[in-house]
Amino acid sequence: MSDSFNGTEIAIIGMAGRYPRSRNLDEFWDHLRNGDELISFFTDEELLARGVDPSVVASPQFVKAAVVLDDMDQFDASFFGFTRREAELLDPQHRLFLETAWEALENAGYNSDAYDGLIGVYAGAGVNSYFLTNLFNNPNFGPLEQLSLLLASDKDYMMTRASYKLNLRGPSVMVQSACSTSLLAIHLACQGLLLEECDIALAGASNVHTILRDGYYTVEGGVYSPDGHCRAFDADGKGTLFGSGVGIVVLKRLADALADGDHIEAVIKGSAVNNDGSMKVSYTAPSVEGQAKVIAEALANAGVNAETISYIEAHGTATALGDPIEIQALTKAFRATTDKKGFCAVGSVKSNLGHLDSAAGVTGIIKTVLSLKHKSIPPSLHFKRPNPAIDFENTPFYVNNKLSEWSGPSPRRAGASSFGIGGTNAHIVLEEAPPAVPAGVSRPWQLLVLSAKTEAALETATHNLAEHFKCHPDLNLADAAYTLLTGRKAFKHRKAFVCKELSDAINALESGRVLVGHQPKPRLVAFMFPGQGAQRLQMAQQIYAHEKTFREQVDLCSRLLEPDLNVDLRQILYGSANSPEAAEKLKQTSLAQPALFVVEYALAQLWQEWGIKPWAMVGHSIGEYVAACLAGVFTLEDALKLVAMRGRLMQEAPAGAMLAAPLAAETIRPLMSAKLSLAAINAPQRCVVSGPEEAIADLQSKLEKQELPGQRLHTSHAFHSEMMEPVLEPFRRFLRNIELREPKIPYISNVTGDWITAEQATSPDYWADHLRRTVRFADGVAQLLKEPDCVLLEVGPGQTLTKLARQSANGSAQDAIIAAGDNLEDDLLSLINGAAKLWLAGVELDWSGFYSDERRQRLPLPTYPFERKRYWIERPVATANQQLTRQVPDSAAFEILTTQLHVMDLQLKALREN
């Protein structure tokens, strides 16, 4: 970390919010920088059409303005597992908080199911006006719904429900301190992080009004604005208005965020919270002393001088008393360390969208973080001339009433205040994010994935990602791929594709040239290891170049084999790509078998690092040695010695030939002479015959006369035939010097076509017979396919076993047989395509292992496209109190609302007791 950091800093690594006319924070920022007022003003005709009483509309005390949150009645209930009735009862504040919390975590690039640390939640909510207006005294509820109504309505359950639905295991804390709720929540979250009670924290608030949607009453000297505008610090400022919004920030210890490659939006340098106590005019009055002390304490905790603060996001409610007291308190706090004047801008987001009550503080933080990020300060609206009680010229402050470039001291720093009725004051010191640590080098091919709970949502997510890529042409594609893989939960409907460039990704997303899968449950994986004939020069060369684990295993095996082979395998495999000499050497059994073993073993180790642990295995001839080694029957050193000896002995046997025929075993046996052996049964209609050259030529001639094409295999010897008999005894003697152990992972025996037994695996006779006996690969595949949730993965060059296994499978089982070496020109592309196919099939990969050799950064990418529907219980016939609330001045309405809240508390208490 930088020398300017002291170890107590907290990084803001993600944010999400829902505000009027703002579906996301990008739209919110556009409104802020453009100086848009997000308050709705209504005509008489509009209000009358909505059923507002004509006497209310005609009242000179009724202000026809409101802060309206779009779609507050909408919710993606099925995404979070709610029934329709549960969603209808649930407080809209809870609903919106759930969705926003999900978006905030995704914006930070974290999947709570995959994250090893503790994620906490610290937040609050406003008054449940939905309960008061729509559910309280609603005759449609019976006693059986009382508990559901309690859990859906009480503030206490918003946090724990979020933790339950998002699988968060850190502290789940409901915070309430009126208007300072969400800033207090952020402060407490920072403390929780520093005390290591959690490793990531979500902090913020949800505040949704269902009452003040048509307008409100105001009286002279009240807190409500008489004209629907919040004129913070202005001479005409006479109050504010209240509205709806939700904001959440995702926090993490800065040192951890830097180490983990998080996208840092800003840094919290320090924070403080206090209370005014009783030394003020009244309970609801603000206090210069209390505010000044909390600001000074926050600056001290941050370890910064006031002169380095160049912007203050103020509480700024535009009340005649509150604004002057706030500037006086700020000045007192700043004057402790500086006498400078007019150097620090001040503004209030309340001038854009009114007072969001419990969500006001986090909204100010979000505005300030966006300002730091974009290096510009949005205008504080409606400021023309200062409140006469504020002498700005003799303070460090000026009101920023136009979009301004943020050119203050570096690093840019800001403060944000929030003061609650009752005297709980909070202040936070922010600093711009440190320069991002450059991402490291990456493999040339990137695996990008998308998933959703429905096909429609998946299509929307596809479109959103393509548009995001278009809008961010400098985006690091490797980091985007990393974020999608590690920072998103995987759902049933899936897409995946592999590409090199951002333009390729956009084309794939828009054209639909992607792999698609629909797999809701986890799958088991069986490894298939091919045998001789699959080898080729440069096999896995791109993997060797770019995958450290594979390279290390090949290097290790090559060094161990060199004394037995008298050659470094790497020189043959990865020397000249077109060397006739190397190609000829690789055809020799003595080198082909060790080369195949090494490549397949190294690939298996790489797959396991990527989280693919084999449930079972099957190998074809020499491939069974790889399976046995992974199962622990041989050590790697002993396996390499065995493979080298096996290849050398087979190379010394008399020459022979092999023929593949598209016939079942029982069909081809009558055509075979006594000199021939059935070397392999690879599929129900695919066999291999082995023996002397003349006998094979004779069989081939018979097949041609019956118009049955036989294909000669490129081998120099007749493997798995009588011609291997001279090899068996020397190999058996060699095996007796090798320690053989019981297998720890089940695998299929080539000899029996059934599961290997401990007796077989530990018998030198078995491994000697294995050289000679028929390879019953088809029977082995049939055994594996008995497990309906099994995926077969070919681990080796090419796709020979994949094609054979598919001939043994029926219907959808064929789709669960995957080759990861089907592109001979680029085996790394094939490998990553194999990973994509596994993921699409429902196999869970370890993405931390997939990126173990890379340093990647998380990026903010489009979040889940919720499919919202209306969940709303309409208000019952208005009670006398509700009618009165809508028709009397706000001071009396406040008393009635207080009474209603008291009744609500009694109702909830009774529900708890019952």
Side-chain angles (χ1 to χ4, degrees), residues 41-52 54 57-58 64:
F41 293 85
F42 312 115
T43 65
D44 291 356
E45 290 75 16
E46 288 174 324
L47 294 176
L48 292 171
R50 290 215 293 266
V52 179
V57 175
K64 305 175 185 71

Side-chain angles (χ1 to χ4, degrees), residues 75-126:
F75 181 51
D76 193 342
S78 61
F79 180 87
F80 291 101
F82 289 99
T83 66
R84 167 165 285 279
R85 191 58 165 177
E86 287 173 332
E88 289 174 340
L89 293 177
L90 192 60
D91 181 355
Q93 298 180 121
H94 295 206
R95 302 182 205 165
L96 294 179
F97 187 84
L98 271 177
E99 289 185 347
T100 307
W102 186 279
E103 291 170 337
L105 264 183
E106 284 201 340
N107 178 258
Y110 279 93
N111 168 10
S112 56
D113 284 348
Y115 182 60
D116 290 335
L118 297 177
I119 302 177
V121 191
Y122 300 77

Side-chain angles (χ1 to χ4, degrees), residues 102 106 111 113 449-453 484-485 487-494 519-520 839 842-844 847:
W102 186 279
E106 284 201 340
N111 168 10
D113 284 348
V449 302
L450 286 168
S451 73
K453 288 196 171 184
L484 291 171
L485 287 168
R488 299 291 186 270
K489 186 174 179 177
F491 297 112
K492 174 181 178 181
H493 298 275
R494 302 181 178 192
Q519 180 51 249
W839 182 79
V843 176
E844 295 194 16
W847 301 119

Side-chain angles (χ1 to χ4, degrees), residues 575-635:
S576 175
N578 299 312
S579 169
E581 182 183 356
E584 195 60 35
K585 285 184 177 179
L586 197 57
K587 289 180 182 178
Q588 298 175 13
T589 300
S590 59
L591 290 178
Q593 292 190 7
L596 278 171
F597 179 94
V598 169
V599 168
E600 292 171 15
Y601 177 84
L603 282 172
Q605 295 299 324
L606 181 59
W607 278 118
Q608 290 186 91
E609 182 182 50
W610 291 359
I612 307 302
K613 310 293 184 184
W615 157 73
M617 297 174 286
V618 62
H620 195 289
S621 192
I622 190 64
E624 187 171 332
Y625 281 74
V626 185
C629 182
L630 293 173
V633 175
F634 322 120
T635 65

Side-chain angles (χ1 to χ4, degrees), residues 234-262:
D234 189 77
D236 293 329
K238 294 185 171 72
T240 190
L241 67 163
F242 292 86
S244 302
V246 185
I248 297 175
V249 293
V250 184
L251 309 175
K252 194 174 185 182
R253 292 179 290 271
L254 177 61
D256 293 344
L258 290 169
D260 295 342
D262 294 322

Side-chain angles (χ1 to χ4, degrees), residues 124 159 174 201 237 240 418 425 484-485 585 699 706 709 714 749 889:
M159 291 302 91
M174 174 58 71
T240 190
S418 197
N425 307 305
L484 291 171
L485 287 168
K585 285 184 177 179
L699 175 62
Q706 299 182 35
H714 298 292
S749 161

Side-chain angles (χ1 to χ4, degrees), residues 12-16 25-26 103-110 250 261-266 369-370 373-374 436 464-465 467-469 471-472 475-476 479-484 486-488 857-864:
I12 298 176
I13 62 171
M15 302 189 298
L25 295 186
D26 288 337
E103 291 170 337
L105 264 183
E106 284 201 340
N107 178 258
Y110 279 93
V250 184
D262 294 322
H263 177 81
I264 300 174
E265 300 281 4
V369 171
L370 291 171
K373 179 179 178 178
H374 294 282
N464 291 348
L465 187 62
E467 292 302 308
H468 183 83
F469 284 169
C471 295
H472 298 82
L475 173 144
N476 186 310
D479 288 344
Y482 171 75
T483 304
L484 291 171
T486 63
R488 299 291 186 270
Q857 304 285 335
R858 289 180 176 82
L859 297 179
L861 296 174
T863 56
Y864 192 89

Side-chain angles (χ1 to χ4, degrees), residues 14 144 193 300 309 366 368 665 829 863:
L144 294 178
L193 286 165
I309 306 294
I366 288 173
T368 307
L829 171 60
T863 56

